[in-house]
Amino acid sequence: MWPFGRQGYDPIPEGNSWDCLRHHGLPWTRLRWLLSAFLAVSITVVVVVIPSLLRDEVEELALHPAHYVLVTEQTPADLVSHYDFYSGPDTNGSAGFQDYVSQDVAASMGLYRQDERAVALRTEWANEALLNDPAKAFPALIGALAQQKPVSVRLEGTTLYNSGLFVLDVEHMPVGCGMWPAIWLTNEDLWPMDGEIDIIEGVNNQNEAKTALHTTANCTMADVTRTSMTGEWDTALGVPDPFTGEPSPVPVTAKNCYIYAKDQWLNQGCVAVDREGKNFGPSLNEQGGGLFILEWNPEGNSPRGSGPSGQSRMQGGFIRSWAFVPAHDAPATLREKIAKKEPLTPDLWPKPYGYFKLDGRTKKASEATGCSSAHFKDMHLVINIAVCGLVAGQRFQMDCPNEYAKHHQEGDSVIETCERYVREEPSSLLDAEWRIRSIRVYSKNNIRAHPR
């Protein structure tokens, strides 16, 4: 018990707090004066000081947002000059059913063409008619025909990036059961150590835009708040238990970017989904396309300048993504600045549907508490169309139940059923085409990328 009765202590009399104060020599008039002064100061703080501080903060943010300047503009006239055509089977990371062909083969088959409006890239079947034309009898087509596989295109960018703002103007994207189109950033030679960022990726007939990250261990978005973005995290449902093999009935939020994350699908990554509107797949094509934008800012902005050691006071970096479908849904000022090739300022746009927090201060990916910026480096743009494979094929029964029921044979896996459907339904490739109006790459503070 506290020694209130020790010598020399004047105990507080019983009664209310005012009695207590008056007992210790504060008259009522003085109490009223102190109370009035306190209320006056409080009102001043609420009415004047706090709004002033908030106004200063807003003005400071407006004065120090991230400005991006245009460094590369890929138009229909020169888009493919920024890429190499990869030729050969698909990589193990996607294991698609198709073979990729060179630029010469693609041009001869009509898989690549351009006009003033857009560049078209598509997937098609090799057929006997092509082989009967000596000018088109490429070995790659002979192999694809023998294996009854479609042929496709995969463009790999010739420039490596470590940050940037990527603005994709897409008129049409491949759709249909078995389709797996994507425009993404990666470094195949050092995957997944150098990471992967999927700017546009969808499978089958999905109608929602998604952005996904794929990394090595120690990259999670568990700390990202719900108010940081308008979209939601994708889920993993039915993942087999590693011991029993039984599919899990409990959906797991896909916020772990690690390709081998427990309780998520293999290489699912962390995936942000735009739930606000039908802005992808068939819906995108019906609306004449749209703008897809990704901001990769590994160190973040610095609205308050730098600290004593020159270190940014902002807490790390981020990756953000927007989808404006149709394209005229983008803010008018944004469309105007793109047309005039003026700098872009994402901080002034609507809230993104995807937000991925990066720990820009941590240099080693293994030391990150959330996800280090070191997980993503030296990546180039890739544009491709895969068929079935580890994602579109794995989801075939879920996304295309009627087609699955019609073409499934006893003993076939879900992926094999997807491949059988594509072989037995030639019309499945009718809408397997990208039409890209432009790709623009912007850099913060005019820091340029470097060649591969």
Side-chain angles (χ1 to χ4, degrees):
M1 183 173 181
W2 191 260
F4 285 125
R6 68 184 183 273
Q7 186 178 4
Y9 181 77
D10 186 13
I12 298 175
E14 296 182 0
N16 60 36
S17 57
W18 298 114
D19 293 333
C20 168
L21 290 171
R22 289 159 62 186
H23 171 78
H24 284 282
L26 291 177
W28 175 243
T29 55
R30 188 175 180 185
L31 286 175
R32 286 191 298 177
W33 180 88
L34 288 173
L35 179 60
S36 300
F38 173 77
L39 290 175
V41 171
S42 299
I43 293 172
T44 302
V45 169
V46 172
V47 176
V48 178
V49 177
I50 292 179
S52 177
L53 290 174
L54 292 174
R55 183 169 57 254
D56 291 344
E57 180 76 5
V58 171
E59 290 174 354
E60 192 172 21
L61 286 170
L63 290 172
H64 299 88
H67 295 291
Y68 289 85
V69 297
L70 181 64
V71 293
T72 303
E73 184 176 30
Q74 303 172 14
T75 64
D78 70 347
L79 187 144
V80 297
S81 68
H82 296 272
Y83 300 84
D84 294 326
F85 279 70
Y86 166 76
S87 178
D90 202 359
T91 57
N92 293 332
S94 51
F97 181 42
Q98 76 294 335
D99 280 344
Y100 293 115
V101 296
S102 67
Q103 184 171 355
D104 289 341
V105 177
S108 71
M109 289 189 63
L111 304 184
Y112 151 63
R113 64 185 189 280
Q114 68 185 60
D115 55 30
E116 294 181 356
R117 183 179 182 86
V119 170
L121 306 165
R122 65 173 294 106
T123 297
E124 194 53 86
W125 286 102
N127 56 55
E128 295 286 353
L130 288 172
L131 299 183
N132 292 332
D133 184 345
K136 298 181 179 179
F138 295 93
L141 298 183
I142 297 175
L145 183 63
Q147 299 177 59
Q148 294 184 292
K149 296 171 66 176
V151 289
S152 186
V153 290
R154 174 178 169 129
L155 275 60
E156 300 182 349
T158 57
T159 302
L160 296 178
Y161 300 98
N162 283 284
S163 63
L165 185 72
F166 303 84
V167 180
L168 316 179
D169 189 350
V170 176
E171 182 181 273
H172 182 280
M173 69 177 294
V175 296
C177 290
M179 293 298 99
W180 183 7
I183 302 179
W184 45 304
L185 288 157
T186 191
N187 184 341
E188 299 87 343
D189 296 335
L190 293 172
W191 186 92
M193 288 77 73
D194 283 2
E196 174 186 333
I197 304 173
D198 300 324
I199 306 174
I200 304 178
E201 181 183 33
V203 297
N204 302 316
N205 285 312
Q206 292 179 352
N207 273 319
E208 296 170 322
K210 297 181 179 181
T211 302
L213 310 186
H214 305 268
T215 68
T216 52
N218 300 316
C219 180
T220 174
M221 297 297 136
D223 292 337
V224 175
T225 61
R226 181 65 184 84
T227 57
S228 300
M229 59 189 194
T230 62
E232 300 176 358
W233 295 108
D234 203 1
T235 57
L237 178 63
V239 178
D241 184 278
F243 299 103
T244 67
E246 293 295 321
S248 172
V250 180
V252 176
T253 304
K255 299 178 74 172
N256 194 332
C257 311
Y258 182 33
I259 60 172
Y260 298 120
K262 182 182 178 182
D263 299 326
Q264 294 183 194
W265 291 107
L266 177 64
N267 196 24
Q268 182 175 11
C270 49
V271 187
V273 184
D274 188 353
R275 305 286 194 194
E276 287 198 344
K278 294 184 176 181
N279 51 20
F280 208 70
S283 296
L284 169 75
N285 297 340
E286 291 169 4
Q287 297 177 79
L291 280 179
F292 295 86
I293 303 178
L294 181 127
E295 180 187 11
W296 173 16
N297 190 339
E299 296 301 329
N301 304 339
S302 183
R304 293 186 180 276
S306 298
S309 63
Q311 181 180 354
S312 170
R313 297 182 189 177
M314 205 69 172
Q315 294 298 309
F318 49 80
I319 293 170
R320 301 189 287 187
S321 52
W322 294 261
F324 299 109
V325 179
H328 60 67
D329 275 1
T333 53
L334 169 58
R335 289 184 279 115
E336 181 180 350
K337 287 180 179 295
I338 290 175
K340 293 182 178 180
K341 302 182 181 182
E342 295 178 353
L344 303 183
T345 311
D347 291 339
L348 304 181
W349 304 346
K351 186 181 294 186
Y353 81 79
Y355 180 90
F356 304 83
K357 182 180 178 181
L358 302 179
D359 183 358
R361 299 163 298 168
T362 304
K363 298 305 180 184
K364 295 182 179 179
S366 60
E367 296 176 353
T369 56
C371 185
S372 169
S373 294
H375 278 289
F376 307 95
K377 57 182 180 293
D378 290 335
M379 295 191 290
H380 64 151
L381 280 165
V382 177
I383 308 170
N384 74 299
I385 309 171
V387 179
C388 295
L390 294 178
V391 179
Q394 199 72 260
R395 292 183 56 95
F396 184 67
Q397 182 178 8
M398 184 188 309
D399 294 338
C400 304
N402 295 333
E403 289 78 3
Y404 175 84
K406 179 179 178 181
H407 295 276
H408 179 69
Q409 294 187 5
E410 186 176 354
D412 280 356
S413 67
V414 179
I415 294 177
E416 289 171 334
T417 303
C418 179
E419 295 173 356
R420 184 182 302 280
Y421 159 74
V422 173
R423 280 197 304 268
E424 295 177 353
E425 300 283 351
S427 61
S428 62
L429 301 181
L430 286 178
D431 218 11
E433 180 172 288
W434 282 112
R435 287 200 293 273
I436 302 171
R437 289 188 282 246
S438 67
I439 294 178
R440 295 176 173 89
V441 182
Y442 296 74
S443 178
K444 188 169 68 169
N445 301 323
N446 204 22
I447 299 175
R448 293 181 177 272
H450 59 278
R452 282 178 69 188

